[in-house]
Amino acid sequence: MKRQIPLLIVIILGFIFVIHVFVPHKASADFYDWYQTWIKAISPFMVLLGIMSLFMVHSTKIKRKVPNWQYSVITLASLIGTGAVGFIWGTQAGTPFMWLFKNVQMPMGATMFSLLAFYIASAAYKAFRARSAEATVLLIAAIIVMLGQVPIGIKISKLIPETSNWILNVPNLAAKRGIAMGVGLGMTATSLKILLGIERTYMGGGK
Amino acid sequence: MKLTFARTGFFLFLLAFSFLLLPQMTHAAVNESEYIVENLSTADIPGDDGSGLVISWKPLPQERRIIEYRIYRGITPDSLFFIGKIDVNVKTGVMGDVMYYYDTDYNYFLDTQAKGKLRREKGQKKDGSLFRRYPRDVSIVGPQLEHYDILGVIPEKDYYYHNEKIEVVTETDTTVYAGLKLHEFSGMYKKLIADHVYYYSVVAVSESRYYCQHAESVIGIPRENAPEKTDRFYAAFVEDVPRLQFEWKLAVFADDHLDHNVYLLHKKDFDKFNKYLDEKIQKELNDIAVKEDSTLAVYTPKSQNPAKLIFARYCGYPYTPSQTAFVNIVEGKIVNDNRDIDVKIDVKNMEDYLFVFSFTDRTGYETFSDVVSANSTTTDQLPIVPPFMIIDRENDKGDYNRVMWGKPIVYLTNSTYLNEKKTHLQVNYDFKTNKNYKVRNIFFKVFDEEGKEIAYVNEYYQDFKIKIKLPENGNEMNTLFFEMTFKCNNDVGEDYILTQILQYDEQTQSLAPGDLYLEDENVDDWEYYIYKRNYSDEEFRLSKKVAGTQREVFDNIRYGNVHFKIVKHFDDEKNLFLVRPSFSVRMDDEKKATIASNLYPEEFEKTILQYEDEIANYVASKDTLESEEEIKNADDAIEYYSKQVELMKDHPIQKVAASFNNPKERIKFLDKSRHYAKNSFEYKIVKSNGKGIFTETNIYIREGVEPVSDENIYLTSYTGNGIDHFFPRSNWFNLDMLPAVIAALLFGSLVFLLIKKAKKGHDLFIRPIAGIQEIDNAIGRATEMGKPILFVPGTSGIGDVATLAGLAILGKVAKKAAEYDTKILVPVRDYLVLPVAQEIVKEAHYEAGRPDTYDKGSVFFITTTQFAFVAGVNGIMVREKTATNFYMGMFWAEALLMTETGSSTGAIQIAGTDAVTQIPFFITTCDYTLIGEELYAASAYMAREPLQLGTLKAVDYLKVIILFLIITGTILSTTHLTFLINAFPEK
Amino acid sequence: MADKKMNFFEKMQALDRRYIYLVVALAIIIPLLVPFNSRTYVTEPTENIYKKIDSFTGRNDRAVLLCFDHDASTMAELFPMEVAILRHCFERDIQVFTICFIPAAKPLMDYALQTAKEGYEVQSGIDYVNFGYRPWAIRIPIMLKMGDDISEAVEYDDEGRKLTNLPIMKEIMNYNEMNLIVDFAGSAAVLSWITYARAKFGANVAAGVTAVMAADNYIYLQTGQLTGMLGGLKGAAEYEKLVDVFACHMEPDENGVMQPAPRDFSKEIIKNTWIKMSDIKNRMHKTARIGMNAQTVAHLMIIVFIILGNIGYFISKRKKDKVN
């Protein structure tokens, strides 16, 4: 029973939502609105779950003094501190919370994001080796596109930006669409497996 | 003190938090009086109905770093409530010298979001006069109600079924109200009352959210004004009919407009008219002056309006009324009995006349436009409106009607030379059509200046661009003439030709499209106005105004209806707001009277009795009346009440309503009836040049349709429904989705068949996927090294199918890891994924027979913030030196940041994602990557069960079918056969 | 490996990635600090926006609407284009409106106006109007309403003034006058302008997008639904160049003093013109082009690395083959 009831809920609701896609009727639209309010009601509890998990993992680490437990102290203190600041002074513009957001979170996020430039360079360096015929094509295409995006490309030859555009618009788009189609089918298959109860890992365990 | 690692961290942490106090401390040293806004004043807004005030003040200098100005209003100077704020950008400050806040119109007063209790504003002392917004507390808000016009917006269901009948007994009489709780209102909106005294104050809030002292409160009194003058009014005289046509623009504030009027003024009376206008303006100024100082003498205008009224129409608040009108001249006269109009006009000497337009408002003010003379025209110069029709828009939930007219239109939008020699030209076009004409081909014929045909294009697949080849001497090709024709599913006629030129434009150095002509008509000169009217409106209102190139309009009809009710009374014991229980259902067919009902049947009966009493009283009093006017008044009253009683007793709606014994069923019937009245519309179209040259159609009537049968009791009184009034239908199936349904069924049956086959023991071949085969080895490696495995199940939510696929793989990996007794770490970015992942890992340990090794802490939540999550995961990789990293699911820009770090720690990495943009990053940095669908196939591949393999194989077959369709479609459309492409919907 | 002495290329094969990081950092920082001259190739979509905006020069019955649909994270790419377009408008006396539908865009919008305004005597309400922030939820209703009457759709400007009272609105009614909309976004936000403002009312729509998103917009350019597009920093650089070459063109008067002499767009002029970036005094409105320099060097650096890596790969492969 412990397995069947959730499975039944999944199957019934799953099919209702499939039907919802094909039925534009008012009744169907109203049902969807109703479901949306449920989602809104459920999500706050989930936040609590996440915070509890974070708390438990890190408090255990501190208690057991596992290596690097100091980081956990910082994590927990930041969690409590930011939360408290938000609760005490609110989250409007000008509050300490927003100050933290602007001066701590945003620059840190931007820093992480800008690391991408470095990582792309090193990844490109390592990956682009003319190991085989295909790899050579990839290598040449990459160089053309890179040159096509910067002023120097046109200086070398007018053909470079044009070829770069062609590569982006034709082979690149074709491959993208091919993958997208496979993904679409894969998604449909996975959803169908869940709907039919073939795939149940998401409930824990395979059987 | 030795500086350990922990201490350093702690200090850094303290340092970061001490910055928090910085903004809090900055205002401490400043003189507070410098933070009070100056020049606070209020002013009446001109041209309105006495419900608008503008509050202005001088903003504080930028150095004060003000982040917002908060505005407070009250009816006494000692208690002002927060009503709104203006945000300021601290960095740039306010650009002007004065700031304004408009307290106009119906705007927010109260809703369920309000706080429960009244609280003083931050920074106010215990006896301070500023409060936050009105609370939900009826005992506080209730007494405020009478000082405003409060409009309650109540969803139908709440009004009908969640009310409580409340009787309010006063010395003179008893009134019955419907009591509603605040949460039954979707909102309450306030409007100021004319001549009422309000107090205002403003507080500046600094960057650190320090609430500065408030400015001394100022008084504001909104005053009733004459309507704003319209700045556009046009008159046209159609000589041969003869008829006068008028067109005007509405004023911005039109809420209190009552009538739209047009007057005829003889040129010789022009000076008199100006004098009359001057006196009118004097009168308005005097009215306001007298209100402010009652000792002033009241001014009475002396002159009469020399202009004669020739047209008047109720403008039907609160919608957008018609902005066009015409009056016919019959035998030298303009006559309208309803408005007592009977004016002589000399059609031969039209140039002797001037015309003037006016708005009148509910208090009797009238504002005139500038006078204009009529432009003469003839019927053949008026535009021709193509036949139009109304149908329900298909495949929707019943909130749109489709209005369509005319035949398709195509026009050129842009052009570009494709080569240096300027011999290849790309021309972009756009086309508009409606459901009656599905465009198959568009034919473009291009001529040069000598009229020689230089190109012909058959556009069988419309991709909004054509390419044409120009002769070698293309540089001299300054003008190109285009002739465009159609082939549609319905015949458009051979002579249906559109023409347009492409002319060389010096400015842009390219060929720019000119005006579009349909035969002789310049399409760009005209606009279509779509007017509509339902059973409960007196007048037509504008649904949409569209360009002359349009051929179709979707008229939005909102499905849900609400009740707008004035809220003046309250019941603080029961915590209720009181509104009137009577509501209108529709207007009668003559559009003369409203058919109303009441929430409480017994009250409805009472009203009838009351009216009958009134009639009896008037009849009795007639004997004692002497003056003719009094008798006429009595007759009018008798007529009015008799009509009301008749409608209340005998109208089909009332009869059906009275036949219900169950009050709930009665309300349900009235609700539905009202719904039909509000949502069924009749339509007409005006085609105009915007300056009085227009043609108005009759109301559209669908022919060859049977009237609605009597079986539907809700349509009892709407016999014309479906013929002249159109009600949008709610559809049960979206036909556009038919291909999807077919594909889904096909897929379903394929799955079924193949699962059966697999169960019978047929060996279904599946292409080997290196990434999946390597998973075992990768886990083995971690075991050998004695290091943990890291598994990131994507960074998206549980609703994403990719996450589910990732979790399915997690199940398999966790089981293997448990068997080998290797630790697995699963960081999670989504709250909902967390419990699912925990459950999966736990179950995997049970299945592997090692429940003891399951550590709940191994599946944990980090954060929802994208890059913070990356930082967390990277930290784990570096500290724990994980031997194997899995990334399975949806990823965004964070992908490379994680995998590159993983690769630098020397871990074996296996990724799987359907995010096309991230696949290249995974391929370059990971040892194995599952691309797109392979991610979805992985769990089936690893499980090797017939059920899973069957589905996997079905996907392959479906892919073959799709590929076949794509190839066939390409071949067919290349050979001008577009039926296959067209069989699939665009969206 | 038989030969213990590793040559340069083999060393490159085993290069620590941190050296690559260092080189990339330098390749980005140095060109930013020391600008060099580079030639910007102006592409068609950029040219089209420029020509369209330029055709509004000095007209009171035309205006451009700039819609800011992005936050600070994409500012590096989008901000230079916003400033460039605003400068073009201010220089050529073209009426501009600005609006945003996400709160995070509001400060960027103000900042762009402030930056572009410097050096011009333009006044809010006369030469431009900032419509301010409107909630995302009413974005589509506003788009639709603007097709009818802008002053009704937006009502008040950012300074709280009624639009109908502003001199700039005198001859501006709806999309017929406010004939071009440029949407700046790191997303597909421009689509809704195409669907509503273009399809329903025939307004011209153009986009300023990040380089990543540019590829998605090519189909709309091909169909003409987008009048033009600025793609990433490159697009911004192109527009900056056009503004400098045409709108902000200077010519010496009879005394030899440089005077502003704006000129119309011409393909012939653009081919033969380039503006020196090395003179540091004038850096102000060259952000994107200087940024493109950094991008050029970074791209070249990466290409050099790839080539070196490949040479090393071949050498070691040959050695291995020899040994075997």
Side-chain angles (χ1 to χ4, degrees), chain B residues 13 31 38 57 82 105 110 116 143 298 476 482 546 560 600 640 711 719 727 750 825 920 922:
Chain B
F13 184 68
N31 181 1
E38 290 169 9
W57 63 93
F82 174 65
D105 236 329
L110 189 68
V298 176
E476 280 104 65
F482 277 72
V546 295
Y600 313 115
Y640 171 77
E711 280 162 34
T719 43
F727 181 82
L750 274 176
L825 297 170
F922 279 131

Side-chain angles (χ1 to χ4, degrees), chain B residues 808-826:
Chain B
I809 300 169
L810 171 64
K812 309 282 184 290
V813 171
K815 192 176 159 195
K816 273 269 152 56
E819 279 166 9
Y820 295 166
D821 200 8
T822 301
K823 197 178 171 194
I824 182 164
L825 297 170
V826 188

Side-chain angles (χ1 to χ4, degrees), chain B residues 84-115:
Chain B
K85 60 169 185 165
I86 293 183
D87 291 315
V88 177
N89 187 346
V90 179
K91 281 203 185 109
T92 57
V94 181
M95 291 181 205
D97 292 336
V98 190
M99 288 186 80
Y100 300 98
Y101 181 85
Y102 289 81
D103 192 10
T104 56
D105 236 329
Y106 281 113
N107 59 31
Y108 178 89
F109 181 72
L110 189 68
D111 66 12
T112 43
Q113 306 268 321
K115 291 272 183 295

Side-chain angles (χ1 to χ4, degrees), chain B residues 567-578:
Chain B
V567 189
K568 270 259 170 306
H569 305 276
F570 63 100
D571 185 331
D572 52 357
E573 275 168 33
K574 289 185 174 164
N575 228 353
L576 295 174
F577 290 96
L578 308 183

Side-chain angles (χ1 to χ4, degrees), chain B residues 535 586-595 643 647 651:
Chain B
Y535 287 107
R586 59 166 294 186
M587 292 203 88
D588 68 344
D589 287 330
E590 287 90 44
K591 305 270 181 203
K592 286 254 166 70
T594 305
I595 296 152
K643 176 85 187 163
L647 284 175
H651 193 273

Side-chain angles (χ1 to χ4, degrees), chain A residues 21-141:
Chain A
V21 177
F22 298 105
V23 177
H25 197 272
K26 172 93 178 7
S28 160
D30 284 352
F31 169 77
Y32 194 72
D33 288 347
W34 174 80
Y35 152 79
Q36 294 273 337
T37 46
W38 265 99
I39 290 287
K40 270 188 224 155
I42 290 171
S43 44
F45 292 99
M46 293 299 130
V47 179
L48 212 67
L49 217 63
I51 293 171
M52 273 162 61
S53 157
L54 197 74
F55 227 94
M56 273 161 58
V57 169
H58 289 283
S59 55
T60 329
K61 275 191 186 167
I62 296 167
K63 228 184 277 165
R64 290 191 197 152
K65 292 264 159 76
V66 297
N68 299 325
W69 61 273
Q70 297 90 339
Y71 290 119
S72 298
V73 178
I74 296 183
T75 307
L76 287 187
S78 310
L79 176 75
I80 298 167
T82 317
V85 160
F87 279 114
I88 298 168
W89 289 289
T91 57
Q92 285 161 297
T95 52
F97 180 85
M98 279 317 280
W99 187 89
L100 271 181
F101 181 79
K102 265 199 216 157
N103 297 296
V104 180
Q105 178 152 10
M106 261 174 42
M108 289 211 292
T111 309
M112 288 302 287
F113 187 53
S114 53
L115 279 181
L116 264 181
F118 299 97
Y119 283 13
I120 285 175
S122 94
Y125 172 63
K126 282 184 300 166
F128 290 135
R129 294 285 148 86
R131 285 192 185 92
S132 59
E134 295 100 311
T136 316
V137 173
L138 188 72
L139 178 71
I140 294 168

Side-chain angles (χ1 to χ4, degrees), chain B residues 28-219:
Chain B
V30 194
N31 181 1
E32 292 202 342
S33 63
E34 287 178 19
Y35 281 76
I36 300 173
V37 296
E38 290 169 9
N39 299 355
L40 179 64
S41 64
T42 63
D44 176 39
I45 290 179
D48 71 353
D49 62 344
S51 64
L53 283 173
V54 53
I55 297 99
S56 60
W57 63 93
K58 187 174 166 221
L60 294 174
Q62 195 187 328
E63 310 88 78
R64 299 275 175 269
R65 301 191 74 76
I66 296 306
I67 200 163
E68 68 183 38
Y69 291 94
R70 295 168 73 85
I71 298 96
Y72 298 80
R73 180 193 60 222
I75 42 169
T76 51
D78 57 351
S79 53
L80 305 177
F81 297 86
F82 174 65
I83 55 166
K85 60 169 185 165
I86 293 183
D87 291 315
V88 177
N89 187 346
V90 179
K91 281 203 185 109
T92 57
V94 181
M95 291 181 205
D97 292 336
V98 190
M99 288 186 80
Y100 300 98
Y101 181 85
Y102 289 81
D103 192 10
T104 56
D105 236 329
Y106 281 113
N107 59 31
Y108 178 89
F109 181 72
L110 189 68
D111 66 12
T112 43
Q113 306 268 321
K115 291 272 183 295
K117 279 200 184 120
L118 181 63
R119 284 172 68 187
R120 279 220 155 69
E121 189 52 278
K122 223 179 123 185
Q124 288 286 310
K125 299 198 185 81
K126 275 209 170 134
D127 55 347
S129 58
L130 299 195
F131 293 89
R132 300 197 181 176
R133 274 200 196 279
Y134 288 115
R136 295 193 307 263
D137 192 342
V138 176
S139 60
I140 289 165
V141 180
Q144 301 279 333
L145 294 175
E146 58 177 313
H147 301 286
Y148 300 99
D149 270 340
I150 306 283
L151 195 67
V153 181
I154 316 163
E156 284 177 314
K157 294 273 170 306
D158 290 311
Y159 181 66
Y160 294 133
Y161 304 114
H162 300 150
N163 61 66
E164 189 178 332
K165 189 174 167 185
I166 303 284
E167 288 191 359
V168 177
V169 187
T170 59
E171 280 170 19
T172 47
D173 58 357
T174 308
T175 322
V176 172
Y177 290 102
L180 292 160
K181 288 238 156 58
L182 179 64
H183 67 258
E184 266 128 26
F185 290 85
S186 59
M188 282 191 207
Y189 301 89
K190 80 97 204 41
K191 200 163 143 174
L192 303 179
I193 299 176
D195 306 332
H196 207 95
V197 180
Y198 299 95
Y199 295 85
Y200 289 90
S201 184
V202 172
V203 167
V205 180
S206 75
E207 191 184 18
S208 53
R209 291 217 77 74
Y210 170 74
Y211 283 61
C212 309
Q213 265 190 353
H214 64 275
E216 181 115 8
S217 64
V218 292
I219 289 180

